[in-house]
Every structure is written in structure tokens, then in C-alpha cells.
Amino acid sequence: TKVEAIRRFGGDVRFFGDDAGVSELAALEFANKNNCTWISPYNDPKVIGGQGTIGLELTEQLEKPDVIYIALGGGGLISGIAGYLKSVVPNAKVIGVSPENSQVMIQSVAANEILDLPSFDTLSDGTAGGIEPGSITFPLVRDLVDDFVTVTEDEIAAELCSYMDQHHHLIEGAAAAAIAGFIKTSDQWKDCNVAIVLCGANISLKTLARILSAR
């Protein structure tokens, strides 16, 4: 679905490797060799800063956001939001959620170094894949994110269906992962203002049909 959307806008899509991290390094090499502008989806201060405006919106909508659940992949989204929130609401808790099938950043933080780990198929494709060596998001996630949660594919699928059934609003797997992370750990946040960032709605009809038919 995402590839087809890029093509509709006139983008030239090329495939390389079997992991987003491998593809990223190949694209960076291509950009350097061909004098192209390289825009990382996460490893860029301007991208992180732009995504941090979500934190600003949250503080404008919630007088006191206590806890924020955010899907975690390369760490750009959560770094931006956490960076802003911690500057204005120091006690706010930022929770990163990754699928069990791709938890590279979580395991890297635990090891205190960026690891080269495999990722497996996941409904949360927006958070899947490796991390660019030396990524500026690694120390930001390590220092700003308070806790991490992993969720199974069944948990992601269940919350995706539950959310769409209750709210009649389409979301993708990464957004459902954030919801699943909250549901899994919600008991500890009673009487708190909790926000869950729904980070996208790019899901194919084929994938959606498969999930719904299995429920």
C-alpha cells in the first residue's frame, strides 16, 4: 500500500535487501554517489523536530499529559515527542511499543549499543527493520524513553480490530501496536491522563481482510 502510494505521486521505487536497515544503507550510498539529497525517516534532526510538534499538540490538548504510548521503530517519532514533552512536562512518562517480531531499538537500548538484529514479518511494518549505525535517535531513545513494551502479532491484530469496530476509523499496524502496548500495561496508570499516538492508517485492503476474517 505504501509503495503504491509513492508510485502514484511519481516516485521511483527500488528494492534492495530483505530488511529496512539494509535498504536504508543502500539508499544512502546511492544518494552519496549520485549527488542526491538523503532524507532519513528518523535519523535526522529536522525530521525528529518536525515529529516533536506532536508533543506540542498534546500539551495544547491535555493540560497535564501523564503518560504517552508511542510505536517505536527507528526512534524518530518517539525522540521528537519525548524531547519536547520532557522539556515542558518533566514528569511525563514516555512508553515505547514495538512488536516482538522487530524490537531492534529496545534490544539495542538494553545492550547500550546499536545491534544488528533480524526482524520478522509484522503487522506493525511501520516500525520494522534495523537502525542506521550511529543514528542520533539511539541516545535520545535511551535517555528520554521511560519504559518499553513488546506486543505479539495477535495482540496487534486484536486491538486493530477493536479500535476500528469502536471508533469506525482506519489505522495501521503500528498504531494498533501502541494501543496494544497500553492495553497490556494499563493497570498501572489508573487516574492518569494517558495519550496514545495513532501514527498512521496505511494498511492494505488485503491485509485488513485477512485480519478481519481471522477474528
Side-chain angles (χ1 to χ4, degrees):
T1 298
K2 295 176 182 178
V3 168
E4 290 307 313
I6 293 170
R7 284 174 172 157
R8 282 198 300 272
F9 281 104
D12 175 15
V13 181
R14 305 183 185 187
F15 295 90
F16 187 91
D18 56 4
D19 182 273
V22 175
S23 305
E24 186 176 353
L25 293 178
L28 177 58
E29 182 181 2
F30 177 90
N32 290 334
K33 286 183 177 179
N34 294 276
N35 196 31
C36 298
T37 299
W38 165 247
I39 303 175
S40 172
Y42 61 93
N43 186 25
D44 184 287
K46 291 183 178 179
V47 171
I48 293 170
Q51 293 176 324
T53 61
I54 296 173
L56 174 61
E57 292 182 37
L58 283 172
T59 57
E60 289 176 341
Q61 295 177 37
L62 285 174
E63 181 179 348
K64 181 179 173 289
D66 298 312
V67 188
I68 315 295
Y69 279 77
I70 307 167
L72 173 61
L77 179 65
I78 202 168
S79 293
I81 296 174
Y84 178 80
L85 277 179
K86 295 291 186 176
S87 71
V88 295
V89 190
N91 293 327
K93 302 296 183 184
V94 178
I95 314 296
V97 184
S98 296
E100 286 186 356
N101 283 1
S102 184
Q103 45 178 305
V104 180
M105 182 62 84
I106 292 177
Q107 294 299 325
S108 295
V109 169
N112 200 30
E113 63 176 329
I114 297 176
L115 302 175
D116 181 13
L117 298 174
S119 292
F120 305 98
D121 286 345
T122 175
L123 291 171
S124 182
D125 58 345
T127 65
I131 303 166
E132 184 179 340
S135 176
I136 61 175
T137 57
F138 172 71
L140 292 172
V141 172
R142 180 193 61 201
D143 298 341
L144 295 173
V145 178
D146 297 282
D147 202 359
F148 302 95
V149 181
T150 60
V151 290
T152 67
E153 295 304 296
D154 285 344
E155 288 168 336
I156 296 171
E159 296 312 322
L160 189 148
C161 292
S162 175
Y163 177 85
M164 291 193 296
D165 183 49
Q166 294 180 50
H167 298 280
H168 308 290
H169 175 223
L170 184 66
I171 58 173
E172 64 179 62
I179 299 173
F182 166 69
I183 295 298
K184 197 170 187 175
T185 56
S186 60
D187 287 349
Q188 61 186 299
W189 306 123
K190 291 180 179 179
D191 301 320
C192 292
N193 288 326
V194 180
I196 305 172
V197 177
L198 303 182
C199 55
N202 293 297
I203 187 169
S204 70
L205 292 178
K206 182 178 180 181
T207 300
L208 186 58
R210 174 171 57 82
I211 296 170
L212 294 174
S213 65
R215 306 315 298 174

